Amino acid sequence: MMSIQIFCQTQLPEHFLDGKAVILISNAPDARPIMQWKAIAREVHPALVEAGGDPVAYYELEELILSEEIQRAYATIFSQRLIRNILILTRKSNGDFYINILEYSGNESIVSAGSSWTMEANDIQILKERVVAAGKGMRSKNLMALDVPTFLPPLVGGAEGASTAPANNNAISGRFVAENPLNLDIFKLGIPLSGASGENALLTRYRYDLYGKSNDEVLAAQKAEKANLERIFDQYYEHQTVFLTEIRSDKQLISDRIQFVLTRVEGREADLMESMGLDPASLENTDRIVVKYYIKFLVRNELYIGPKWDADPNGQTALINFLKNLKIEP
């Protein structure tokens, strides 16, 4: 089980004062007063610069964690831009703000497990004052920080990304197959439970609805999740399954005859469709938040989303739809 260790410190970490930083913002939509994530970015940017940081780009955290493929693509961009720091700003539903600063991992996990520098405040003005105070008296090597925040186009979806999304989307969506995988009756299907998704899921733990949950809470949720999934699979899936409660490499899974792994993603429906190479033009509400399941074929690194689009705002309904569609003959 992975955990996020949190330490409150009075001074900013030295690595934040010596290298470019990407800022990821996760903003609870029900927090009050209402603030859009870009408005939060504009508020905190001057404080980060005054404190000695060099924030070169702002993104919504949910953009990066839409799927492993998208997160991998962002990691490539960060490496090309020589990013050193990842600052994650989480705003919870109660309005409290949390900042976590970590060094960029240099790979698709974006951040590594372990401790982070953290700060919290129940008001954005207080947060800004504390950030500036944390940089007082420290020497910064970031001498050419921009005065205004930079919002780069998302890799998938959104009007801002219209000029660049197609090319990037082709690279991301190339591994998705709009069919059902073969040989499900021969090999086991691995079903990861919450907290067993590997290092690539570390960023998810900073999302506004998950941040701050203890390991005991994660384990309790995992137990309830397994009971619910067992009931669904008993009714809608006839082949072998294995529940994955801890991190295991692809090689370990394959050696145990687990060649397929069920994967769950959640995000804006239009973004999910585009990331999987599908056209969202027929959607009535492109901003609807839905859950989509697909199966990862470990041997060939292919991702099977099924012959029919079956995403749904209700995760249980989305899973049942997907399992039903697995029975559609090619």
Side-chain angles (χ1 to χ4, degrees):
M1 177 67 63
M2 294 178 298
S3 63
I4 299 173
Q5 299 178 22
I6 299 173
F7 300 94
C8 250
Q9 296 158 303
T10 56
Q11 289 191 315
L12 289 166
E14 291 186 3
H15 57 81
F16 184 70
L17 305 176
D18 185 17
K20 301 176 183 177
V22 162
I23 316 300
L24 308 178
I25 298 178
S26 181
N27 179 36
D30 56 344
R32 295 293 184 272
I34 296 175
M35 293 183 70
Q36 300 300 318
W37 75 272
K38 286 187 177 181
I40 294 174
R42 294 187 182 97
E43 282 280 339
V44 301
H45 182 80
L48 295 176
V49 173
E50 184 178 347
D54 184 14
V56 298
Y58 289 78
Y59 297 95
E60 195 173 13
L61 175 64
E62 286 73 12
E63 288 179 17
L64 272 72
I65 59 177
L66 199 57
S67 74
E68 287 186 8
E69 284 61 45
I70 292 173
Q71 188 168 313
R72 185 178 297 112
Y74 274 105
T76 299
I77 293 173
F78 296 166
S79 294
Q80 291 171 346
R81 297 197 64 187
L82 302 180
I83 299 301
R84 185 176 182 188
N85 300 284
I86 303 295
L87 185 151
I88 308 171
L89 195 161
T90 305
R91 188 190 189 201
K92 300 281 289 180
S93 294
N94 63 2
D96 289 351
F97 291 88
Y98 296 84
I99 284 179
N100 283 273
I101 301 177
L102 306 96
E103 289 195 81
Y104 170 51
S105 66
N107 55 41
E108 61 199 48
S109 70
I110 307 294
V111 297
S112 301
S115 62
S116 66
W117 185 95
T118 191
M119 173 178 287
E120 63 179 280
N122 58 11
D123 176 85
I124 195 165
Q125 186 62 38
I126 295 174
L127 185 76
K128 290 157 52 179
E129 293 172 357
R130 289 180 178 175
V131 167
V132 172
K136 289 289 186 183
M138 299 190 71
R139 181 183 177 186
S140 174
K141 296 181 180 180
N142 299 320
L143 303 178
M144 299 182 67
L146 298 175
D147 293 333
V148 294
T150 299
F151 302 106
L152 296 179
L155 292 183
V156 176
E160 296 170 295
S163 61
T164 59
N168 291 318
N169 188 33
N170 288 338
I172 295 168
S173 63
R175 292 167 54 210
F176 286 97
V177 183
E179 299 175 2
N180 286 328
L182 301 175
N183 299 323
L184 285 173
D185 57 333
I186 298 176
F187 298 102
K188 302 172 186 175
L189 174 64
I191 307 169
L193 297 176
S194 299
S197 301
E199 287 194 348
N200 288 356
L202 278 171
L203 274 182
T204 305
R205 298 289 297 274
Y206 293 93
R207 201 173 69 183
Y208 69 86
D209 56 335
L210 296 178
Y211 182 74
K213 285 191 173 182
S214 67
N215 283 341
D216 287 342
E217 289 174 315
V218 172
L219 286 171
Q222 191 179 87
K223 183 177 180 180
E225 178 186 12
K226 181 181 178 182
N228 187 50
L229 288 174
E230 283 178 327
R231 179 181 57 80
I232 293 174
F233 274 84
D234 286 345
Q235 185 173 354
Y236 296 101
Y237 191 78
E238 58 188 10
H239 308 304
Q240 284 185 292
T241 60
V242 177
F243 286 96
L244 307 177
T245 58
E246 58 185 16
I247 302 169
R248 298 171 64 183
S249 68
D250 289 358
K251 184 177 180 180
Q252 291 173 322
L253 293 171
I254 292 171
S255 68
D256 197 25
R257 294 184 61 80
I258 302 172
Q259 293 200 9
F260 301 102
V261 174
L262 184 72
T263 303
R264 180 189 191 274
V265 291
E266 182 176 1
R268 286 182 285 264
E269 190 163 20
D271 293 353
L272 286 176
M273 291 188 76
E274 288 186 6
S275 73
M276 297 177 180
L278 302 177
D279 185 359
S282 62
L283 295 178
E284 294 183 5
N285 179 7
T286 56
D287 291 327
R288 187 175 75 148
I289 302 300
V290 299
V291 173
K292 175 73 179 92
Y293 283 88
Y294 63 85
I295 288 177
K296 182 176 183 180
F297 182 30
L298 300 180
V299 176
R300 294 183 183 175
N301 206 21
E302 293 173 339
L303 311 170
Y304 289 85
I305 62 175
K308 294 179 62 176
W309 184 253
D310 46 30
D312 193 89
N314 183 289
Q316 180 170 300
T317 301
L319 177 58
I320 292 173
N321 290 344
F322 181 71
L323 295 179
K324 285 181 176 180
N325 290 334
L326 282 179
K327 298 180 181 179
I328 297 175
E329 296 291 337

